[in-house]
Amino acid sequence: MIPDDHKDLPFEGGSEPVPQVKESVPGPGRSAMQYVVIGVCVLVALFSLLWVFGF
C-alpha cells in the first residue's frame, strides 16, 4: 500500500519534464505550390476527357 504522503514527495533526479511548445499552425490560405498542383490536375483531367471523347 502506498502511503498518503507519497504524492507529496519532492522530485529526486531522473529526466526532467520538458515544457510543451505549441507548433505553429499554418493559416487557412493555400501556398503557390498547391495552386500549381491543382492546376496540373485540372489540366490532366481536361485533356484526358478531350482525348476520350475526341475519338
Side-chain angles (χ1 to χ4, degrees), residues 10-46:
F11 180 74
E12 294 181 7
S15 61
E16 295 183 13
V18 177
Q20 295 294 324
V21 179
K22 282 187 173 182
E23 294 182 15
S24 61
V25 179
R30 296 187 188 272
S31 68
M33 194 57 163
Q34 287 174 320
Y35 282 117
V36 169
V37 169
I38 291 171
V40 169
C41 290
V42 168
L43 288 175
V44 167
L46 181 66

Side-chain angles (χ1 to χ4, degrees), residues 1-19:
M1 182 102 191
I2 299 174
D4 290 337
D5 62 346
H6 176 73
K7 57 187 170 189
D8 296 330
L9 292 175
F11 180 74
E12 294 181 7
S15 61
E16 295 183 13
V18 177

